[in-house]
Amino acid sequence: MIRGILISVLSIVVAGTAYWGYQEHQEKNAILLNAENNYQRAFHDLSYQMDLLHDKIGTTLAMNSRNSLSPSLAEVWRITSQAHSDVGQLPLTLLPFNKTEEFLANIGNFSYRTAIRDLDKTPLSNQEYDALKVLYKQSGDIQNELRNVQHMVLKHNLRWMDVELALASGKEMTNNTIIDGLKTVEKTVSGYDETNFGPTFANMQKKDENYNRVQGKVISSQDAVNIAKKYIKFDQNAKVKVTENGKGSHYGFYSVSLQNKQTGQEASMDITKKGGHPIWFINQREVKKQAISLNDAGKKATDFLKGAGYHNLELFESTQYDDIGVFNFVTNINNIRVYTESIKVKVALDNGSINGFSAEEYLKTHHNRTMQTPKISIEQARNKVNPNFKVMENRQAIILNDLNQEVLCYEFLGTIGEDTYRIFINAQSGIEEKVQKLKNAEAIYQDV
């Protein structure tokens, strides 16, 4: 009898295990099928978008009026954005495809910046038309290569899950039609010379990543340690580690790490070799319950920057995150805010100590400027603003526009309804350069 019971129990266990295994297998197949469908959709969408892109660039080449060019270039930008999104949905994380993505990004950036430009005042140059002709040919080459891959996928019913498994296992060097086809696409793009989009695009891409404007003598690694200790104020016997940036870096800097031997507290700082200017630092300590106000913390941040040798700075934004205050400063020259020169300071609200600092944007952009004189009055600029906008403050400011150019603007701070905005009107041309919606206070949600 006992034997019969054991056999029955074992039979139930085996049946249950088999059913569980069957369910797991079905769920796994459903997940794999869903992933495969998503990959197939993204790839065929990419091929379709490249067809559209090639045709739309060709159409743009035949246009001449601004009324037609701007919408057409905006459509080119939309198509490249979608194609870029489709590439991101393919299992290519382990397969180099960066040249193709860079190609799409450059077309998108060029078409967007040109579309928002006043083409009546600054029409497409011969250089930019030549660039479009080159892009038309190159997009056609990529279109043909993707069509070849698409043909092989459909003809042989190839699966993208096989691509993902091959890449994940490191077996992509074996004969895989899809991988080989995509490598051909990438090789085709890599063979192109750098396309010259003209000065507008070059200026848009121009960004000082080298801290070329930084002044001062070149410092040693020991100088960097002394600077870090001065800012972070650890015990002189703190454990120190200094790393010099590698050969591939665009600018020289030291990375200094400090550890307080008594408390175990750690801090890090990056310092430029030229001039010994701190780029950023962070003091990694646990902040206790708030004991000082955000206003008092702002004063401590201001005093810290003055003591560090930063002058003509104005605090324009402060935010509190739990028990940390974050303060954003910008240069102020004759009551003109220079938003491109910004410094952020983090202050612990338990004791007012400086927990973090970032001067990256300031170091990249700070220089002696020749301030422009506005060509329009503040009243004329005010008339360019939405009539429903209630102005609370106004001033002059220098910002970076969509073409990566510094421009002098009239800044208007105000509200529409319950929302607060900053609106920047170009002080020379009167165009609306930028509109920023400021964040409202976040609601506090409680557990129910």
Side-chain angles (χ1 to χ4, degrees):
M1 180 177 177
I2 295 176
R3 182 181 179 186
I5 294 173
L6 289 174
I7 291 174
S8 299
V9 171
L10 287 174
S11 299
I12 294 172
V13 170
V14 170
T17 302
Y19 178 75
W20 174 81
Y22 174 77
Q23 288 288 96
E24 286 288 299
H25 179 70
Q26 289 293 95
E27 290 178 5
K28 180 181 177 182
N29 282 343
I31 293 172
L32 292 176
L33 180 61
N34 183 60
E36 178 65 28
N37 289 340
N38 285 333
Y39 290 150
Q40 292 283 359
R41 176 195 54 76
F43 175 70
H44 293 300
D45 281 353
L46 173 62
S47 299
Y48 174 67
Q49 296 298 337
M50 287 307 302
D51 289 345
L52 290 180
L53 179 62
H54 181 63
D55 291 343
K56 182 55 68 174
I57 294 176
T59 303
T60 304
L61 284 170
M63 294 177 177
N64 190 39
S65 69
R66 180 193 185 280
N67 291 337
S68 299
L69 270 173
S70 290
S72 183
L73 287 167
E75 183 67 9
V76 169
W77 169 74
R78 186 195 66 78
I79 294 170
T80 54
S81 297
Q82 184 58 54
H84 208 278
S85 174
D86 292 331
V87 170
Q89 295 177 55
L90 295 175
L92 304 176
T93 53
L94 301 176
L95 179 67
F97 213 59
N98 56 301
K99 288 294 183 182
T100 303
E101 291 183 282
E102 183 181 344
F103 174 79
L104 291 171
N106 283 341
I107 295 179
N109 287 335
F110 169 73
S111 57
Y112 173 74
R113 304 300 179 182
T114 308
I116 65 174
R117 196 169 86 204
D118 189 339
L119 294 176
D120 285 334
K121 293 182 178 179
T122 313
L124 285 182
S125 66
N126 292 334
Q127 195 175 33
E128 288 170 329
Y129 268 115
D130 290 341
L132 279 174
K133 291 177 183 177
V134 173
L135 292 177
Y136 179 65
K137 179 183 182 305
Q138 292 174 347
S139 61
D141 293 340
I142 297 175
Q143 175 191 36
N144 291 333
E145 294 296 343
L146 284 174
R147 280 183 173 179
N148 287 334
V149 179
Q150 187 179 40
H151 171 72
M152 297 303 293
V153 168
L154 296 173
K155 180 179 179 181
H156 299 290
N157 196 26
L158 301 177
R159 300 191 328 145
W160 279 91
M161 289 305 300
D162 295 335
V163 174
E164 186 169 44
L165 292 173
L167 292 172
S169 63
K171 296 179 180 179
E172 69 271 18
M173 297 307 293
T174 59
N175 186 21
N176 186 297
T177 304
I178 296 179
I179 292 178
D180 292 341
L182 293 177
K183 284 183 176 180
T184 302
V185 174
E186 182 73 356
K187 185 177 180 180
T188 299
V189 180
S190 301
Y192 300 147
D193 293 330
E194 192 72 24
T195 305
N196 189 345
F197 293 97
T200 299
F201 186 77
N203 185 67
M204 179 203 66
Q205 287 191 314
K206 183 181 178 182
K207 189 175 181 181
D208 183 12
E209 298 289 353
N210 302 325
Y211 298 88
N212 290 332
R213 295 187 171 109
V214 167
Q215 302 296 320
K217 297 180 180 179
V218 175
I219 66 170
S220 65
S221 58
Q222 185 57 50
D223 292 332
V225 171
N226 295 336
I227 292 170
K229 287 183 176 180
K230 174 185 173 183
Y231 274 81
I232 298 172
K233 297 180 180 179
F234 272 11
D235 186 274
Q236 291 299 313
N237 296 322
K239 184 179 179 182
V240 179
K241 180 181 178 181
V242 184
T243 305
E244 188 174 353
N245 69 308
K247 294 181 180 179
S249 298
H250 295 295
Y251 59 93
F253 67 93
Y254 294 104
S255 293
V256 182
S257 298
L258 300 176
Q259 183 179 40
N260 190 319
K261 293 181 179 179
Q262 294 181 343
T263 63
Q265 183 180 336
E266 296 181 351
S268 303
M269 174 181 277
D270 275 3
I271 304 169
T272 63
K273 289 181 181 178
K274 186 178 180 182
H277 301 283
I279 301 170
W280 62 266
F281 81 78
I282 184 168
N283 192 345
Q284 300 172 358
R285 77 169 181 86
E286 183 180 354
V287 180
K288 299 178 181 178
K289 187 176 180 180
Q290 179 177 353
I292 67 172
S293 68
L294 190 66
N295 184 60
D296 289 338
K299 293 177 181 178
K300 289 183 179 296
T302 300
D303 293 340
F304 164 77
L305 290 175
K306 288 181 179 178
Y310 293 97
H311 303 290
N312 301 321
L313 292 179
E314 175 187 359
L315 173 62
F316 86 96
E317 189 176 52
S318 59
T319 311
Q320 182 172 343
Y321 299 96
D322 295 329
D323 298 313
I324 297 283
V326 179
F327 304 91
N328 202 343
F329 294 81
V330 295
T331 297
N332 187 312
I333 303 174
N334 298 326
N335 293 322
I336 300 175
R337 283 184 180 174
V338 184
Y339 281 108
T340 53
E341 296 184 7
S342 67
I343 296 179
K344 291 182 175 64
V345 181
K346 290 173 63 177
V347 179
L349 299 180
D350 55 356
N351 62 8
S353 64
I354 307 301
N355 266 27
F357 163 87
S358 175
E360 183 176 0
E361 295 302 319
Y362 181 91
L363 293 174
K364 288 178 180 179
T365 59
H366 178 66
H367 64 282
N368 293 324
R369 292 176 171 81
T370 300
M371 306 304 285
Q372 294 179 318
T373 302
K375 291 184 179 179
I376 65 173
S377 67
I378 192 166
E379 289 78 16
Q380 290 173 315
R382 175 65 181 86
N383 291 332
K384 304 288 185 180
V385 176
N386 187 320
N388 297 319
F389 182 71
K390 183 179 179 181
V391 177
M392 300 164 58
E393 296 178 17
N394 63 76
R395 62 178 58 84
Q396 291 183 36
I398 292 176
I399 66 169
L400 208 62
N401 67 6
D402 286 339
L403 297 178
N404 207 39
Q405 300 167 328
E406 283 193 355
V407 289
L408 176 65
C409 294
Y410 287 110
E411 173 191 352
F412 297 97
L413 177 68
T415 60
I416 297 179
E418 296 181 355
D419 295 319
T420 305
Y421 298 86
R422 278 197 184 96
I423 299 179
F424 297 91
I425 304 297
N426 192 303
Q428 310 300 326
S429 64
I431 68 170
E432 193 174 67
E433 288 285 358
K434 188 173 293 187
V435 176
Q436 293 179 342
K437 181 180 180 297
L438 304 186
K439 290 183 178 180
N440 296 326
E442 294 187 9
I444 299 176
Y445 299 97
Q446 299 179 347
D447 293 336
V448 178

